[in-house]
Amino acid sequence: MSDNQSWNSSGSDEDVETSDSGVGQPVVGIAELGGIISKWTNYIHGWQDRWVVLKNNTLSYYKSQDEREFGCRGSLCLSKAVITPHEFDECRLDVSVNDSVWYLRATDPEHRHQWINSIELHRSLREGRIDSGVIQRTSLVPPAAVCLMAESGYGSEPSLRRHGSMLSLTSATSGYSATSTSSFKGHSLREKLAEMETFRDILCRQVDTLQKYFDGCSDAVSKDELQRDKVVEDDEDDFPNTRSDGEFIHNNNGSKEKLFRSLSPKGINGIDFKGEAITFKATTAGILSTLSHCIDLMVKREDSWQKRLDKETEKRRRIEEGYHSALSELKKKSHFGGPDYEEGPNSLINEDEFFDAVEAALDRQDKMEEQSHTEKSRIQRSSPVPPGDVYSTIGSHRFADKVEEMVQNHMTYSLQDMGGDANWQLVVEEGEMKVYRREVEENGIVLDPLKATHSVKGVTGHELCHYFWDTNVRNDWETTIENFNVVEMLSDNAVIVYQTHKRVWPASQRDVLYLSAMRKILANNENDPDTWLVCNFSVDHDNAQPTNRCVRAKINIAMICQTLVSPPEGDREISRDNLTCKITYVANVNPGGWAPASVLRAVAKREYPKFLKRFTSYVQEKTAGKPILF
């Protein structure tokens, strides 16, 4: 293992004995390997360092080495574990047992290689497939790790006898037989089956007896033919006819013939052939009768078995339907169980599943926001408004020229009418609100410019831009932000802001670093409406460098607000009923990452109108009953 592997052992110096050669050889005691490796926890916390221990053919993990006394957080038995190096990530390995999977990530490819080899060697020694002496001659793991595994005694015969288990074929057969027999409720059928066993044993013995009888008959016939041959030879040699021994006589043809003794009533070897034949016939008749009885009983039970089969078939059908339904619901959920299903170049999740997961996560965020909206509305924050001339100056900070360039570009191009441009598509229209989109992709990344127009009653452009720019009230109306802080205050009307957005799994978390400037646009003539603008565009800053935790998005956003005042009746003063604010919101966002284009467009179509309605409603609530801020 590498140095950062931090292998640890649980043992003492007393556990090592000295061999005949004088070299210290581990014998017993140390049986543990431990080290730090990153483990995938969940889609919120991602990869976390954990203390992983390899002991007794079990892989366990703890939150840290210091918290081992509180017990392990999980363990896997290595006997049936499958260790799979990841196809694309050179630092990752997956350890799976059935449906349980651990996603582990080493510090580098060599670190992963050492972990895999150590686990495999540990398991091999534990199962006795490799001798520890062979392992000591390899260089796959450091000598310390080899000693630790060797001392554990894995692979020895006593260890296998102690921990192993064997399934007895006899007991398995007995269990099957008992199960099969117990399924018949009628005792008569079981008794008849027992009778069949008895008849079978009797029949086998009778077959053996008859076989012996037939073998004896065959031997007797062979001997008879041999004696006949001898009698013919004696006749040809003119031996005298004699009956002194009673073995030869003359037949009617004058030839000699062997005189055989007649068989005894018991037959050959004392076997009563007739009796055995009668018994054999009776046994076979009993077997046939018992078989007939068994068939009758099983025919009677056929209806019951058919009903049971139909019931089990219906039960299986319902279980399969439940399984497919649960599988379908699982695909709709936002958690798929591992890092392979989050946003990335090799993600296993398809576009439809990605969209379903994102939509489900956004729905949950909306519900949480509805619950917290009441609490936010109770909070009264003071938001002092600087003098109007502060927003009319260009400023003298280092980004002043860039801000002026952005302001002029937005005033020139953002207020142009969409009607004559066929590239802009109207994607949302809700009352006074219209949202347009122009589809643009670069290197597979969606860069769709978006433009929205809206009209709001009872507020001025100064008020809308003030609440949109003021960082003190940003969290009151912006629901997608997780963390937010001002990196640098450039002037009274320009700040550099860093914010991280809430993660919408399986998409990666995004952050953005941008300069936010608020300006009052000076009118060229008295008929021009009072116009205010807030522009947000990405910049770089030494105090907010990109990290591996988030994908850095690039933005160029502007909100242009024009106040229209309808003349009041008579001598009345201007009230909020006479105010209408025309809003033009433009956004050019490069989200980065690998999110599917269709998902990004669907989310933008859903979220931008919600944002405009949420923000304008917030400003109307905050300004109701207050003096008008022109």
Side-chain angles (χ1 to χ4, degrees):
M1 287 295 168
S2 58
D3 294 339
N4 57 6
Q5 174 68 29
S6 180
W7 283 111
N8 190 28
S9 62
S10 62
S12 63
D13 296 336
E14 298 177 357
D15 294 331
V16 180
E17 296 181 1
T18 303
S19 64
D20 295 339
S21 61
V23 180
Q25 296 294 334
V27 179
V28 293
I30 304 174
E32 180 176 315
L33 295 167
I36 296 175
I37 192 169
S38 296
K39 181 181 182 295
W40 175 263
T41 54
N42 52 52
Y43 69 88
I44 297 177
H45 300 292
W47 297 99
Q48 299 289 332
D49 286 344
R50 294 291 181 259
W51 180 259
V52 179
V53 173
L54 188 59
K55 181 179 180 182
N56 294 338
N57 206 32
T58 301
L59 194 67
S60 308
Y61 80 92
Y62 305 80
K63 186 174 182 181
S64 65
Q65 187 177 6
D66 297 334
E67 296 189 11
R68 291 191 57 185
E69 60 183 12
F70 300 112
C72 71
R73 295 197 165 198
S75 61
L76 291 177
C77 179
L78 296 178
S79 298
K80 297 183 179 180
V82 178
I83 294 90
T84 307
H86 197 265
E87 183 178 359
F88 304 106
D89 192 341
E90 295 182 349
C91 297
R92 189 177 134 195
L93 63 145
D94 300 346
V95 183
S96 59
V97 178
N98 296 329
D99 295 333
S100 179
V101 183
W102 285 9
Y103 305 98
L104 306 177
R105 201 170 192 276
T107 55
D108 51 58
E110 179 62 23
H111 190 197
R112 180 186 78 167
H113 182 67
Q114 292 171 348
W115 266 104
I116 293 174
N117 286 336
S118 297
I119 293 174
E120 292 291 355
L121 289 172
H122 182 92
R123 179 163 59 178
S124 300
L125 285 169
R126 176 65 178 82
E127 297 175 355
R129 292 186 279 112
I130 301 179
D131 182 73
S132 59
V134 176
I135 304 305
Q136 292 174 345
R137 294 192 293 270
T138 66
S139 59
L140 296 177
V141 293
V146 175
C147 292
L148 291 176
M149 288 189 288
E151 291 176 15
S152 65
Y154 291 160
S156 60
E157 185 178 353
S159 174
L160 292 176
R161 287 201 303 266
R162 183 169 61 255
H163 299 288
S165 63
M166 283 292 259
L167 179 64
S168 170
L169 181 61
T170 304
S171 61
T173 306
S174 301
Y176 175 77
S177 177
T179 304
S180 301
T181 306
S182 62
S183 63
F184 301 108
K185 295 183 179 180
H187 293 286
S188 58
L189 183 57
R190 190 157 48 238
E191 292 172 356
K192 290 299 179 181
L193 291 174
E195 289 180 9
M196 290 285 293
E197 292 287 337
T198 304
F199 280 131
R200 186 198 63 181
D201 295 338
I202 295 173
L203 192 61
C204 289
R205 289 196 296 269
Q206 290 176 341
V207 169
D208 292 339
T209 301
L210 292 175
Q211 185 63 48
K212 291 179 182 178
Y213 177 82
F214 295 141
D215 292 342
C217 291
S218 179
D219 292 340
V221 171
S222 299
K223 291 180 181 179
D224 183 29
E225 291 177 351
L226 182 60
Q227 292 294 339
R228 288 179 182 274
D229 293 339
K230 289 184 178 181
V231 169
V232 173
E233 291 176 359
D234 292 342
D235 186 41
E236 291 177 352
D237 292 338
D238 295 329
F239 284 106
N241 297 335
T242 177
R243 294 190 61 178
S244 57
D245 55 359
E247 292 183 357
F248 298 98
I249 60 172
H250 288 278
N251 57 19
N252 295 331
N253 297 326
S255 62
K256 293 184 178 180
E257 188 175 88
K258 178 72 180 288
L259 181 63
F260 296 101
R261 298 185 182 92
S262 61
L263 295 175
S264 64
K266 291 291 185 179
I268 299 176
N269 296 329
I271 298 175
D272 184 1
F273 178 75
K274 185 176 181 180
E276 290 295 337
I278 295 174
T279 306
F280 184 83
K281 182 178 179 180
T283 304
T284 52
I287 291 176
L288 294 175
S289 176
T290 305
L291 280 174
S292 177
H293 187 75
C294 291
I295 291 172
D296 292 340
L297 290 175
M298 286 187 286
V299 168
K300 292 179 181 179
R301 295 186 61 85
E302 183 178 5
D303 293 338
S304 174
W305 289 345
Q306 186 62 44
K307 292 179 181 179
R308 188 179 300 179
L309 176 61
D310 295 341
K311 184 178 179 180
E312 292 297 327
T313 302
E314 178 64 19
K315 182 178 179 181
R316 177 172 179 171
R317 185 188 63 80
R318 290 196 301 267
I319 292 175
E320 288 179 349
E321 289 179 354
Y323 166 75
H324 291 301
S325 175
L327 187 62
S328 177
E329 290 295 325
L330 180 62
K331 290 182 178 180
K332 295 180 182 179
K333 292 183 179 179
S334 62
H335 179 57
F336 285 79
D340 291 325
Y341 292 92
E342 63 179 359
E343 177 187 349
N346 303 304
S347 177
L348 300 180
I349 188 172
N350 59 44
E351 287 196 18
D352 292 338
E353 294 171 337
F354 198 104
F355 175 77
D356 291 341
V358 168
E359 189 175 41
L362 291 174
D363 289 339
R364 287 196 299 271
Q365 289 186 7
D366 290 344
K367 291 181 180 179
M368 295 173 62
E369 180 58 29
E370 289 177 2
Q371 296 173 357
S372 61
H373 177 72
T374 305
E375 298 178 3
K376 287 184 178 181
S377 62
R378 297 196 193 103
I379 302 175
Q380 299 295 328
R381 291 188 176 89
S382 60
S383 181
V385 181
D389 56 356
V390 172
Y391 300 106
S392 301
T393 59
I394 297 176
S396 59
H397 51 83
R398 62 184 185 278
F399 291 102
D401 294 339
K402 184 67 174 177
V403 171
E404 183 65 19
E405 179 186 351
M406 288 291 181
V407 170
Q408 295 303 323
N409 286 338
H410 284 302
M411 291 303 300
T412 302
Y413 300 108
S414 298
L415 294 178
Q416 292 179 353
D417 189 11
M418 299 290 102
D421 194 342
N423 293 324
W424 289 93
Q425 303 174 5
L426 179 63
V427 292
V428 176
E429 184 174 7
E430 296 180 8
E432 296 291 333
M433 182 191 303
K434 294 181 180 180
V435 180
Y436 300 87
R437 180 179 66 205
R438 182 159 53 90
E439 294 189 358
V440 177
E441 287 191 28
E442 183 176 317
N443 297 326
I445 299 177
V446 175
L447 304 176
D448 294 353
L450 183 139
K451 182 175 182 178
T453 60
H454 193 26
S455 294
V456 184
K457 299 287 187 180
V459 295
T460 65
H462 188 181
E463 291 170 334
L464 279 169
C465 286
H466 168 71
Y467 283 103
F468 185 71
W469 179 82
D470 189 3
T471 56
N472 294 322
V473 296
R474 181 68 54 83
N475 286 323
D476 289 350
W477 56 268
E478 179 59 272
T479 62
T480 65
I481 294 178
E482 181 178 86
N483 294 310
F484 171 87
N485 66 286
V486 176
V487 178
E488 183 179 354
M489 192 79 180
L490 298 174
S491 65
D492 290 338
N493 66 341
V495 293
I496 295 179
V497 177
Y498 172 77
Q499 64 189 30
T500 57
H501 291 264
K502 296 176 182 178
R503 184 179 183 187
V504 182
W505 196 89
S508 300
Q509 189 172 23
R510 260 71 177 178
D511 65 357
V512 59
L513 177 68
Y514 62 94
L515 187 152
S516 182
M518 179 175 171
R519 292 285 298 276
K520 178 180 179 180
I521 307 301
L522 299 177
N524 295 325
N525 57 70
E526 60 181 8
N527 293 325
D528 289 342
D530 189 29
T531 304
W532 291 75
L533 177 146
V534 175
C535 62
N536 299 335
F537 58 92
S538 294
V539 294
D540 295 325
H541 200 282
D542 294 337
N543 295 337
Q545 296 292 334
T547 64
N548 294 329
R549 181 172 175 267
C550 298
V551 175
R552 179 64 57 89
K554 301 293 183 179
I555 65 171
N556 183 7
I557 295 172
M559 177 176 281
I560 306 172
C561 300
Q562 298 173 307
T563 305
L564 305 177
V565 182
S566 60
E569 296 180 0
D571 296 333
R572 294 182 181 180
E573 295 182 356
I574 296 176
S575 66
R576 293 194 175 275
D577 294 336
N578 303 115
L579 301 178
T580 301
C581 185
K582 180 182 177 183
I583 302 173
T584 302
Y585 181 82
V586 292
N588 292 271
V589 179
N590 181 350
W594 298 272
S598 61
V599 176
L600 291 175
R601 291 189 172 108
V603 171
K605 182 179 178 180
R606 162 184 166 146
E607 293 300 312
Y608 276 112
K610 288 171 56 179
F611 149 71
L612 278 178
K613 288 190 290 186
R614 180 174 64 247
F615 172 69
T616 54
S617 298
Y618 168 80
V619 176
Q620 286 176 322
E621 291 177 5
K622 288 297 183 181
T623 57
K626 293 182 179 180
I628 300 175
L629 180 64
F630 285 100

